[in-house]
């Protein structure tokens, strides 16, 4: 391992370099390389203790003792350009994360990804006449057949494909010897969207509002850019604005970056952009293989692709001559990375665009309060699209008061048992607290009309807890302080945080009573109830359980778009950005889930979710209707969602965050202390609190320590402190903790989260 004391100057023909490694330590390491130092941003493989790691050269190294040699230089040109390297340094400083960890997050699988290659045979000398053909091949019948097969294939074919047709490598070598064919080692581009149609889309005729927005945003192209917040109601044509803005960027010879919050949104977005821009579009998201992401990344860096589309990590796409960055659904929590580096892709997009002199366009029907505050302070420019395109109107919203629907009944005590093959002669009536009579009537009406419905419930699984009626014990995960969820189809109890699974219990673990009740509700149970209540309805479910496959999102959405689905049941992934013109009804099964969580953003997230899913209805010529089921119909979040009143909600919510102060009126950071030992976690949190209070005088304010709302997760007990105040003071405090706070114990970990979106 590299040392720190002085050492002799490196010998002739060698250089010392500083290398950033993907380790949770905030320091660089010095290594020796033979010959001149590789350029900054180049990947190198180096020894570290008893293993080898891939790191990045960040500059010349200093003379130290015990310097070890670089094992290999992996790039002929830097894998990280100067612009992305500077962005990595900013992320490292702002989010207080090691720069090597940041660089690892920026690149597609640096340890394993590599180009895929294949041998290709190409005809280099055609033969014009039959006589010449006879003269060249004579009795070499197989060579002649292979040559003719190549001509039929357009003059080129993979050697492996020829082998599958019975032509050996020696036959191909014979063609090479005659000077007819050349075999080359070609890179194969892995494009998962190769079969998708491309070409020119329909001509875009902007509305007056869209022209106004485009004039403001596109007017800054080539003039230093700027950050714009586009507040447009659902179905106001924001995507068309994005496409036209990027079209103008391409005309200037520049590239663009388009971020979406969920993989589920990528197929529709990719289809619209490929229709508009053809093969200039590259896709980057975690649902693709390492090789597919690597090829897209390589083509972007080479300038062969000009537009990058993807979820959170696509903000690091190596787009050349960046002219515009678009962040759709900019409010969405999916843009926040949950592991180090804990960056918010929306905020990184703003910084990246500003450094490139590009336009940054943040779009949403329900902007985050931080973005709204930035727009009203002048940091961003506010643009608005207050009307739906095509004279469309926002859907009518009705509220069903679940308080009058009776108490929820538990599901059967043995829900995992095999189901009977017998069928009832009558259609069962669904429980009114799950599918209320008004919602059931609306569902039947839509099925009869052959229109489509979306049903939203933000919990997956069948039942959310197993309760003992005798002693009141609730079955919890062995590793987390949360209840286990019943998944009936898999016949398992599953923890939705750590993934721990066990069979459904037959008796209480505490008192051994067999009187168990499975309570709560998930999308799996809603799907079953809908199928039982509406025989013949075609129902699909979209949640984490049904979208584990690579193309699951695309396949489900394709069925909906083709009209093969009457009712789509799903979690929040169906609430964002989907555009189906035959969806005329949206039902929210329980609007209260998440509303009363111990998190200051719970009301904001609930309002955004209700508004977004309501916006899926009535996006075509058919009018839309939304039915929201709730136990708190008079809550200001529900009232604002019913009235489509974003401004009214913001005014009330901003007022609530003034005293006590919460973002956006102040900045915030969270320091999480965890350990397998409950006492060590508490001791570590108290030690950190005392140390910080000794370092900080006045700003920022320190809240805690206190147990996290989910006190145990993944087998670790968790305590947290909150820092609240100005950005500069919070930054200094976090840097001090990362650099100077002494380790509280071998099993204790500290997690620093600047601008946290969740406090659970």
């Amino acid at each position: 391992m590299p040392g720190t004391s002085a050492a002799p100057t490196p010998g002739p023909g060698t250089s010392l370099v500083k290398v950033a490694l993907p380790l949770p330590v905030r320091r660089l390491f010095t290594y020796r390389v033979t010959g001149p130092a590789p350029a900054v941003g180049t990947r190198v493989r180096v020894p570290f203790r008893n293993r080898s790691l891939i790191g990045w050269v960040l500059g010349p190294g200093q003379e130290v003792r015990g310097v070890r040699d670089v094992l290999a230089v992996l790039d002929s040109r830097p894998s990280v350009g100067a612009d992305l390297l500077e962005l990595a340094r900013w992320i490292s400083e702002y989010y207080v994360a090691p720069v090597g960890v940041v660089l690892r997050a920026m690149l597609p699988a640096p340890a394993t990804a590599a180009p895929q290659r294949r041998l290709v045979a190409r005809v280099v000398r055609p033969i014009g006449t039959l006589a010449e053909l006879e003269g060249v091949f004579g009795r070499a019948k197989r060579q002649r057949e292979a040559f003719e097969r190549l001509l039929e294939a357009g003059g080129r074919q993979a050697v492996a494909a020829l082998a599958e047709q019975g032509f050996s490598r020696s036959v191909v070598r014979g063609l090479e010897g005659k000077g007819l064919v050349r075999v080359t080692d070609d890179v194969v581009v892995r494009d998962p969207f190769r079969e998708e149609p491309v070409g020119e889309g329909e001509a875009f005729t902007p509305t007056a509002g869209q022209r106004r927005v485009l004039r403001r945003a596109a007017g800054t192209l080539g003039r230093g850019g700027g950050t714009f917040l586009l507040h447009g109601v659902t179905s106001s044509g924001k995507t068309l604005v994005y496409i036209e803005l990027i079209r103008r960027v391409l005309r200037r010879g520049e590239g663009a970056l388009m971020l979406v919050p969920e993989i589920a949104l990528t197929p529709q977005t990719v289809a619209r952009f490929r229709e508009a821009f053809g093969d200039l579009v590259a896709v980057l998201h975690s649902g693709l293989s390492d090789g597919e992401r690597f090829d897209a990344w390589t083509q972007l860096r080479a300038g062969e692709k000009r537009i990058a589309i993807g979820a959170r990590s696509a903000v690091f796409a190596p787009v050349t001559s960046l002219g515009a960055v678009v962040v759709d659904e900019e409010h969405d929590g999916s843009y926040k990375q949950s592991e180090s580096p804990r960056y918010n892709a929306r905020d990184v997009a703003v910084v990246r665009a500003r450094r490139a002199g590009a336009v940054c366009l943040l779009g949403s029907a329900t902007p985050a309060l931080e973005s709204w505050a930035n727009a009203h302070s002048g940091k961003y420019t506010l643009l608005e699209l207050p009307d739906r395109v095509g004279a469309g109107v926002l859907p009518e919203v009705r509220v069903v008061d679940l308080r009058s629907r009776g108490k929820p009944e538990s599901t059967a005590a043995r829900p995992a048992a095999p189901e009977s093959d017998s069928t009832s002669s009558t259609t069962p009536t669904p429980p009114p607290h799950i599918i209320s009579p008004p919602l059931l009537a609306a569902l039947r009406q839509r099925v009869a009309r052959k229109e489509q419905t979306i049903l939203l419930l933000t919990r997956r699984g069948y039942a959310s807890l197993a309760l003992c009626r005798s002693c009141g014990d609730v079955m919890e995960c062995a590793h987390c302080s949360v209840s286990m969820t019943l998944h009936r189809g898999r016949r398992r109890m599953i923890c939705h945080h750590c993934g721990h699974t066990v069979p459904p219990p037959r008796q209480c673990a505490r008192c051994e009573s067999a009187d168990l009740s499975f309570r709560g509700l998930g999308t799996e149970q809603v799907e079953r109830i809908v199928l039982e209540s509406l025989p013949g309805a075609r129902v699909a479910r979209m949640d984490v359980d049904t979208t584990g496959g690579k193309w699951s999102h695309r396949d489900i959405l394709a069925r909906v778009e083709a009209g093969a689905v009457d009712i789509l049941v799903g979690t929040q992934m169906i609430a964002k950005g989907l555009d189906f013109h035959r969806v005329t009804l949206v039902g929210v099964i329980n609007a209260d889930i998440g509303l009363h969580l111990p998190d200051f953003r719970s009301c904001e997230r609930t309002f955004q979710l209700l508004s977004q899913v309501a916006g899926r209805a009535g996006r075509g010529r058919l009018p839309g209707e939304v039915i929201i089921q709730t136990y708190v119909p008079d809550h200001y979040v529900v009232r604002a969602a019913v009235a489509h009143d974003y401004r009214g909600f913001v005014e009330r919510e901003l007022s609530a965050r003034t005293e006590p102060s919460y973002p956006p009126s102040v900045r915030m950071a969270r320091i999480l202390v965890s350990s397998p030992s409950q006492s060590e976690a508490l001791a570590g949190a108290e030690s950190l609190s005392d140390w910080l209070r000794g370092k900080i005088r006045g700003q920022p304010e320190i809240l805690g320590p206190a147990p996290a709302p989910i006190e145990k997760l993944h087998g670790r007990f968790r305590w947290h402190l909150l820092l609240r105040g100005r950005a500069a003071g919070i930054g200094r405090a976090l840097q001090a903790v990362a650099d100077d706070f002494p380790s509280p114990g071998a099993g204790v970990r500290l997690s620093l989260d600047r601008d946290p979106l969740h406090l659970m």
Side-chain angles (χ1 to χ4, degrees):
M1 179 175 171
T4 56
S5 57
T9 304
T14 63
S15 305
L16 295 177
V17 292
K18 290 188 297 185
V19 176
L21 295 177
L23 298 170
V25 290
R26 289 169 50 80
R27 58 164 291 194
L28 303 179
F29 299 87
T30 298
Y31 287 91
R32 181 189 298 108
V33 63
T34 301
V40 171
T42 299
R43 294 180 306 157
V44 291
R45 186 179 293 278
V46 298
F48 185 83
R49 294 180 178 171
N50 59 351
R51 55 181 172 150
S52 67
L53 297 173
I54 292 177
W56 291 265
V57 173
L58 293 189
Q62 298 177 342
E63 300 174 6
V64 294
R65 288 193 182 278
V67 176
R68 300 172 72 179
D69 291 331
V70 168
L71 300 177
V73 177
L74 302 179
D75 298 318
S76 57
R77 56 178 288 199
S79 64
V80 183
D83 57 337
L84 287 177
L85 188 57
E86 286 305 308
L87 185 65
R89 289 188 169 117
W90 177 83
I91 292 172
S92 174
E93 179 179 355
Y94 185 81
Y95 292 102
V96 196
V99 68
V101 173
V102 176
L103 288 167
R104 179 181 59 187
M106 295 177 76
L107 298 177
T112 58
Q116 179 178 323
R117 312 190 73 89
R118 67 177 177 183
L119 296 176
V120 176
R122 287 182 173 81
V123 174
V124 293
R125 182 168 71 85
I127 296 177
T129 65
L130 183 61
E132 186 180 1
L133 196 66
E134 294 287 350
V136 169
F137 290 109
R139 301 177 63 181
K141 179 181 178 182
R142 293 296 290 164
Q143 290 184 17
R144 176 173 175 169
E145 290 175 352
F147 185 74
E148 290 174 341
R149 194 67 56 84
L150 279 172
L151 292 176
E152 291 170 0
R156 64 185 296 273
Q157 197 166 34
V159 172
L162 289 170
E164 291 176 358
Q165 299 170 54
F167 300 108
S168 66
R169 187 71 176 89
S170 62
V171 171
V172 178
R173 289 195 191 97
L175 295 175
E176 288 183 280
K178 290 181 169 63
L180 300 174
V181 166
R182 179 182 299 122
V183 175
T184 57
D185 185 13
D186 290 4
V187 173
V188 180
V189 176
R190 292 157 286 198
D191 182 1
F193 298 93
R194 184 182 298 107
E195 304 302 323
E196 297 290 334
V198 299
E200 290 297 323
E202 297 180 5
F204 170 48
T205 304
T207 65
Q210 289 170 330
R211 283 197 300 271
R212 183 172 60 252
V213 165
L214 281 166
R215 186 164 56 248
R216 295 287 303 279
T220 63
L221 290 173
R223 300 179 181 178
T227 302
F228 298 86
L229 176 63
L230 176 56
H231 175 216
V233 300
T234 55
S235 198
S236 59
K238 293 187 292 294
T239 302
L240 291 174
V241 170
Y242 304 155
I243 289 173
E244 184 58 27
L245 174 65
I246 291 174
R247 197 187 307 278
R248 299 183 187 190
V249 167
L250 294 182
R251 289 174 187 156
R252 294 175 45 81
E254 297 173 334
L257 177 58
M258 174 79 194
L259 298 184
V260 295
E262 291 273 8
I263 295 173
L265 300 183
T266 311
Q268 280 197 327
T269 305
V270 170
R272 298 187 73 171
F273 273 67
R274 283 175 66 90
E275 185 178 295
F277 302 115
D279 287 329
L280 294 177
V281 177
V283 181
L284 294 165
H285 65 64
S286 59
L288 305 179
S289 69
D290 288 346
E292 289 166 343
R293 290 199 303 273
F294 177 83
D295 287 352
W297 183 86
T298 301
Q299 290 179 302
L300 285 165
R301 187 172 70 153
E304 298 168 13
K305 304 281 189 181
R306 306 273 298 285
I307 304 166
I309 297 177
R312 181 175 57 237
S313 62
V315 72
F316 304 123
V319 176
T320 58
S321 302
L322 187 64
V325 180
V326 177
V327 184
D328 192 27
E329 311 291 4
E330 64 86 31
H331 67 276
D332 199 278
S334 300
Y335 286 123
K336 178 71 172 178
Q337 171 80 0
S338 60
E339 303 291 336
S340 182
R342 291 174 173 80
Y343 65 91
N344 189 315
R346 175 200 63 206
D347 299 336
V348 172
V350 171
V351 173
R352 184 175 180 188
R354 184 186 305 130
R355 289 170 176 259
V359 171
C360 184
L361 184 59
L362 312 176
S364 176
T366 55
L369 265 65
E370 286 85 350
S371 299
W372 188 257
N374 284 335
H376 282 268
S377 69
K379 187 175 181 180
Y380 301 165
T381 300
L382 179 64
L383 306 174
E384 297 195 80
L385 290 174
D387 302 310
R388 284 190 158 187
V389 295
V393 295
L394 291 168
E396 176 191 354
V397 182
R398 284 198 288 159
V399 173
V400 174
D401 186 351
L402 292 179
R403 294 174 300 183
S404 62
R405 304 293 164 185
K407 293 183 179 179
E409 299 176 2
S410 65
T411 57
R414 296 282 191 273
E419 299 178 25
S420 171
D421 291 333
S422 63
T423 57
S424 173
S425 59
T426 60
T427 301
T429 301
H433 70 283
I434 298 177
I435 304 291
S436 62
L439 179 55
L440 180 61
L443 284 167
R444 287 173 173 161
Q445 186 183 62
R446 266 52 181 204
V447 172
R449 290 186 196 162
K450 300 189 183 304
E451 297 171 6
Q452 293 175 308
T453 298
I454 286 177
L455 292 180
L456 171 74
L457 180 67
T458 57
R459 285 179 178 163
R460 61 189 176 100
Y462 191 87
S464 54
L465 58 88
L467 171 72
C468 175
R469 287 192 179 99
S470 297
C471 71
D473 187 55
V474 173
M475 181 181 181
E476 284 197 348
C477 173
H479 310 292
C480 308
S481 56
V482 296
S483 61
M484 300 282 280
T485 299
L486 172 67
H487 287 247
R488 180 171 180 148
R490 297 169 62 180
R491 303 189 183 198
R492 306 293 288 178
M493 302 293 293
I494 302 177
C495 174
H496 288 173
H497 291 273
C498 73
H500 177 62
T501 68
V502 294
R506 296 191 175 274
Q507 63 182 28
C508 175
R510 175 187 289 178
C511 71
E512 299 185 351
S513 168
D515 189 10
L516 301 180
S517 171
F518 291 82
R519 300 193 174 191
L521 186 64
T523 50
E524 187 181 8
Q525 188 175 164
V526 170
E527 178 188 32
R528 181 181 179 183
I529 289 171
V530 170
L531 286 168
E532 291 175 345
S533 306
L534 296 163
R538 299 167 298 173
V539 181
R541 175 161 55 93
M542 191 167 180
D543 54 27
V544 171
D545 299 321
T546 63
T547 56
K550 180 175 180 179
W551 297 113
S552 303
H553 297 88
R554 186 181 69 174
D555 292 344
I556 294 172
L557 296 178
R559 289 169 55 205
V560 177
E561 188 157 20
V565 171
D566 298 315
I567 302 170
L568 177 64
V569 179
T571 54
Q572 51 262 43
M573 65 174 62
I574 67 172
K576 309 167 186 177
L578 301 180
D579 187 10
F580 299 117
H581 286 191
R582 293 202 62 79
V583 172
T584 61
L585 174 65
V586 166
V588 181
I589 301 299
N590 187 344
D592 309 340
I593 296 177
L595 187 59
H596 303 295
L597 293 175
D599 190 318
F600 72 92
R601 297 185 194 273
S602 61
C603 288
E604 180 183 5
R605 280 195 288 266
T606 300
F607 173 79
Q608 290 167 340
L609 183 65
L610 294 178
S611 299
Q612 291 288 334
V613 74
R616 301 314 106 205
R619 298 176 70 88
R621 296 180 179 177
L622 301 172
E625 180 183 12
V626 181
I627 297 178
I628 296 177
Q629 301 183 159
T630 175
Y631 290 97
V632 287
D634 296 324
H635 197 286
Y636 72 92
V637 167
V638 176
R639 292 203 308 269
V642 168
H644 304 288
D645 185 9
Y646 172 79
R647 288 177 177 269
F649 166 77
V650 167
E651 183 177 347
R652 172 72 180 266
E653 187 68 10
L654 286 177
S655 175
R657 296 194 193 177
T658 302
E659 187 58 45
S661 297
Y662 283 101
S665 62
V666 293
R667 304 297 283 275
M668 182 174 281
R670 182 195 197 201
I671 306 178
L672 187 71
V673 183
S674 68
S675 171
S677 165
Q678 189 171 20
S679 60
E680 288 185 6
L682 170 59
E686 290 178 336
S687 173
L688 174 61
S689 175
D690 293 341
W691 185 87
L692 264 176
R693 285 182 164 88
K695 287 276 186 181
I696 295 173
R697 303 299 180 190
Q699 280 287 334
E701 179 186 6
I702 302 172
L703 306 178
I710 301 177
E711 187 174 358
K712 186 182 179 185
L713 205 60
H714 298 278
R716 302 183 68 84
F717 293 91
R718 308 157 75 240
W719 284 66
H720 63 184
L721 293 88
L722 301 179
L723 306 182
R724 189 166 63 183
R726 292 186 291 273
I730 286 177
R732 286 193 297 269
L734 293 178
Q735 294 284 353
V737 171
D739 294 336
D740 302 327
F741 179 62
S743 172
V748 180
R749 297 178 189 163
L750 264 63
S751 167
L752 310 182
D753 188 2
R754 189 164 186 177
D755 303 329
L757 289 189
H758 297 275
L759 300 180
M760 297 298 289

